[in-house]
Amino acid sequence: MVALAVPAEVTVILLDIEGTTTPIAFVKDNLFSYIKENVKEYLQTHWEEEECQQDVNLLRKQAEEDSHLDGVVPIPAASGNGSDGLQQMIQAVVDNVFWQMSLDRKTTALKQLQGHMWRVAFTAGHIKAEFFEDVVPAVRKWREAGLKVYIYSSGSVEAQQLLFGHSTEGNILELFDGHFDTKIGHKVESESYRKIANSIGCSTNNILFLTDVTVEASAAEEADVHVAVVVRPGNAGLTDDEKTSYSLITSFSELYLPAST
């Protein structure tokens, strides 16, 4: 890969997480495995708490919206059937979460529950986030050059803040100007990037978006956002067309900032 010049009008770097700042293997093997191994115990422990009930209600509503999909697991409403009824409901939530995760769903309902579970794991020190070694030095360099840096991930904002607040690099939240998740829109929809620009207070062509997913890159480009596709170990391979259609980098250090005049 050769150095890629950051366009002069760019004032904001927008970063994806999985496969861009963080190895996919960490997300799959650590974060997602933690959910699968602990979701039932978490629900049993926190069931009576208002936050947990809000999560369950959101998942139930999502299941109703998904009723037309093959394999969807409905979540029954609360009943007065005692402990047996409660365990059946908890198992339905567990099965629904497993079903959504098997399809790599990005629903707000799923991401909200995952975020609350990761809060327990991160704050207890059970998990520390990992980043590619070029990430933190590059972000520091961008900020020193006067650029703003934001995160846009399908994971909830709370989950993002946990990730960057509890990492092998320590708490690096101060390096980021803000966070966006699917509440502003899905990453494969061009309108999401317009909303992000509006929220930041800049034009879409003032943003450079770094992602490993070409459908996200395409959506961003449709909104007149600058894009570079990040090629990392463990990421999905790119087609020949994709390799020629997008600017590619294998490290954040390959981004070249034009000298200020």
Side-chain angles (χ1 to χ4, degrees):
M1 302 290 168
V2 296
L4 176 66
V6 175
E9 68 264 32
V10 167
T11 58
V12 173
I13 306 286
L14 184 65
L15 299 175
D16 168 52
I17 294 178
E18 183 181 349
T20 299
T21 66
T22 299
I24 286 179
F26 171 78
V27 177
K28 296 267 193 287
D29 299 342
N30 294 65
L31 295 184
F32 288 171
S33 291
Y34 178 85
I35 300 297
K36 292 176 181 177
E37 292 167 6
N38 293 278
V39 62
K40 188 168 186 176
E41 180 183 354
Y42 175 87
L43 291 168
Q44 290 172 332
T45 302
H46 299 275
W47 187 262
E48 299 298 331
E49 298 171 14
E50 182 180 355
E51 180 180 82
C52 186
Q53 283 302 303
Q54 290 174 348
D55 292 346
V56 171
N57 288 335
L58 207 57
L59 285 163
R60 183 181 292 115
K61 182 179 178 182
Q62 182 65 50
E64 292 169 357
E65 294 175 5
D66 291 340
S67 60
H68 63 288
L69 298 177
D70 289 339
V72 62
V73 180
I75 300 173
S79 65
N81 293 338
S83 60
D84 287 347
L86 174 60
Q87 290 307 313
Q88 288 174 2
M89 198 185 319
I90 288 176
Q91 189 59 51
V93 176
V94 171
D95 292 345
N96 180 276
V97 167
F98 275 41
W99 172 73
Q100 289 203 57
M101 291 182 68
S102 73
L103 299 176
D104 197 24
R105 300 288 298 283
K106 309 292 187 184
T107 64
T108 297
L110 176 64
K111 294 302 177 183
Q112 181 170 299
L113 174 64
Q114 289 175 333
H116 292 154
M117 288 186 63
W118 287 326
R119 180 177 61 204
V120 173
F122 277 113
T123 55
H126 297 318
I127 300 177
K128 286 188 182 294
E130 300 171 11
F131 306 112
F132 291 106
E133 62 182 4
D134 55 276
V135 171
V136 173
V139 173
R140 293 189 191 280
K141 181 179 178 182
W142 298 337
R143 290 185 62 86
E144 288 169 3
L147 296 173
K148 293 182 180 294
V149 184
Y150 290 82
I151 300 294
Y152 182 28
S153 172
S154 54
S156 68
V157 166
E158 181 180 14
Q160 296 173 35
Q161 292 170 335
L162 287 166
L163 198 77
F164 291 100
H166 302 82
S167 79
T168 55
E169 303 279 345
N171 183 343
I172 58 171
L173 278 171
E174 66 179 15
L175 296 180
F176 303 96
D177 293 278
H179 301 258
F180 299 98
D181 59 19
T182 54
K183 288 182 179 177
I184 204 160
H186 289 282
K187 296 169 74 181
V188 296
E189 298 170 354
S190 59
E191 184 60 25
S192 303
Y193 299 90
R194 298 185 184 98
K195 290 179 179 177
I196 287 173
N198 185 60
S199 178
I200 294 172
C202 67
S203 299
T204 52
N205 71 347
N206 296 138
I207 299 174
L208 171 61
F209 179 45
L210 304 184
T211 180
D212 63 307
V213 181
T214 55
V215 289
E216 296 174 2
S218 177
E221 283 191 335
E222 285 180 24
D224 202 25
V225 169
H226 297 282
V227 168
V229 171
V230 185
V231 179
R232 299 285 200 184
N235 287 6
L238 302 177
T239 66
D240 289 341
D241 283 347
E242 288 171 336
K243 290 176 182 177
T244 56
S245 297
Y246 298 100
S247 299
L248 307 179
I249 59 172
T250 61
S251 166
F252 287 3
S253 63
E254 293 169 5
L255 288 179
Y256 169 75
L257 299 178
S260 56
T261 54

